[in-house]
Amino acid sequence: MPWFVVDDSAWSHPKVTAAGNAALGLWMRAGSYAAQHLTDGIVPGVVVGMCKGSPAQVRRLVEAGLWHEHGHTCPHPKCAQPAPGDYYMHDYLAPYNPSRAEVLAKRERAAAKKRDHRARQAQGDQPTPPRGERRPAPEREQQRRPPAATIPDGWQPSEADVEAAQLARADAGQPQLSPQQLDAVTRKFVRRMRDDQARAVEFGGRWQQWAETERVEQQPAPGGDVIPFGRRPAQVPVDIFGDAMQRAQARTSQEGGAR
C-alpha cells in the first residue's frame, strides 16, 4: 500500500501559501488518488470533478506551480506531459513518491517471498537446494537446522511478515490492519503459542496466518452510545414500604375526619 508523501516543510512552502488552503485540499486528495492508483503523478480531469474541485482551485494550483496542464514547459525532467484535460503534480516522483514500476516490483518481491515461505512450510521448513545440488541427508540436515523452541518473550513479527500478511489481506479484499490492530494480533498470537506450549524454529509463518484471517472490529460511530431500537428502559424500583405508609396515613386521616 503506497503512501502519498507530504514534506514536513510544506505548511510554509511559498507555492503552498500562494495556492491557499482550499486548493491545497484538492491537491492532497488528488495526490492520495495518484498514490493509490499508481498514476505516477497524473491527475485525470474526471478525478478533479469527483473531488469537487472548482475551476478557481485548479487555476490557483497551476499558477502556484503545484500542478501542470497539458503543454506545460516545466524544466524538471520527471514532470510528465498530461493529456488534454488532465494535470500532473509537479515533482511527484523524485525523491518523494515511488513510481508505479517500483511499487509493483516491491509487491512481487513480497509475493515471491511469501510463496517461497509457504513452499518451505509444505516441505517441513526444508530450504529448496539450488539446481544441481543434492538435498543433504535428514540426519545432517537436522544438525544444521536450529532446534525448535517455544516462542521467546517480546517476540515480534518481522517487517516482511507484516508486509506479506497485509498483501494477503489486500488480495482477499480484507481491510488493512492498523498498528494498534497488529499489536493486538501479536499479543493474542504469543499468548496462544505459550498456552499451547508450541515449539517451532520460527513463528513468522504462523503469525502471518493469524494476521491474514484477523477480523477487524467496526469502530462505533461518533456521538456516543446508541440504544438499540425496541429496547425498553430499565424499570424504576417501586418503594413498597413507602406506599404502604402513605395509604395508612390516608386512612387514618379519613377515619379521624369521620369522627
Side-chain angles (χ1 to χ4, degrees):
M1 180 177 62
W3 296 83
F4 173 54
V5 179
V6 179
D7 191 89
D8 58 1
S9 63
W11 69 275
S12 61
H13 195 280
K15 291 184 178 181
V16 173
T17 303
N21 290 341
L24 187 62
L26 174 61
W27 176 83
M28 184 276 295
R29 293 186 66 184
S32 176
Y33 171 89
Q36 180 186 19
H37 295 275
L38 305 178
T39 68
D40 286 350
I42 294 292
V43 181
V46 65
V47 173
V48 176
M50 293 171 58
C51 294
K52 307 298 182 181
S54 66
Q57 293 170 352
V58 172
R59 184 173 63 254
R60 291 179 72 92
L61 291 174
V62 172
E63 292 175 352
L66 292 174
W67 277 11
H68 297 316
E69 295 178 301
H70 174 73
H72 72 85
T73 58
C74 177
H76 197 290
K78 292 191 176 182
C79 281
Q81 194 67 242
D86 295 345
Y87 304 91
Y88 184 80
M89 304 189 71
H90 173 73
D91 201 14
Y92 176 86
L93 289 176
Y96 304 106
N97 299 286
S99 66
R100 177 185 181 87
E102 292 171 339
V103 173
L104 293 179
K106 184 177 180 180
R107 290 178 179 176
E108 177 57 30
R109 289 195 299 270
K113 186 173 183 179
K114 184 175 181 179
R115 289 193 298 267
D116 179 68
H117 179 78
R118 288 179 172 174
R120 287 189 285 108
Q121 280 190 321
Q123 299 175 2
D125 285 336
Q126 298 179 2
T128 303
R131 182 177 299 179
E133 181 179 336
R134 293 184 177 179
R135 184 181 299 277
E139 61 274 7
R140 295 181 58 188
E141 184 176 352
Q142 187 66 26
Q143 294 176 0
R144 294 180 181 180
R145 293 176 58 198
T150 57
I151 193 166
D153 295 336
W155 182 92
Q156 291 292 326
S158 65
E159 293 183 3
D161 294 334
V162 174
E163 186 173 5
Q166 298 281 42
L167 180 61
R169 292 181 65 87
D171 293 341
Q174 296 293 328
Q176 299 291 281
L177 297 177
S178 66
Q180 294 79 8
Q181 292 167 338
L182 288 171
D183 290 341
V185 172
T186 302
R187 288 194 299 270
K188 291 190 294 184
F189 173 77
V190 172
R191 185 165 55 248
R192 173 59 66 83
M193 293 298 102
R194 288 177 176 172
D195 292 344
D196 295 346
Q197 298 183 353
R199 302 178 66 88
V201 175
E202 59 92 15
F203 290 87
R206 298 186 183 186
W207 179 89
Q208 289 180 31
Q209 295 178 353
W210 272 63
E212 290 173 17
T213 57
E214 178 70 8
R215 293 185 178 180
V216 178
E217 296 182 358
Q218 298 295 332
Q219 298 297 325
D225 297 334
V226 177
I227 299 176
F229 178 77
R231 178 177 296 178
R232 296 182 178 178
Q235 297 295 329
V236 179
V238 179
D239 188 356
I240 301 176
F241 179 78
D243 290 347
M245 290 294 296
Q246 290 180 2
R247 289 195 297 270
Q249 291 175 359
R251 287 196 302 271
T252 303
S253 299
Q254 292 175 359
E255 293 173 356
R259 293 177 183 177

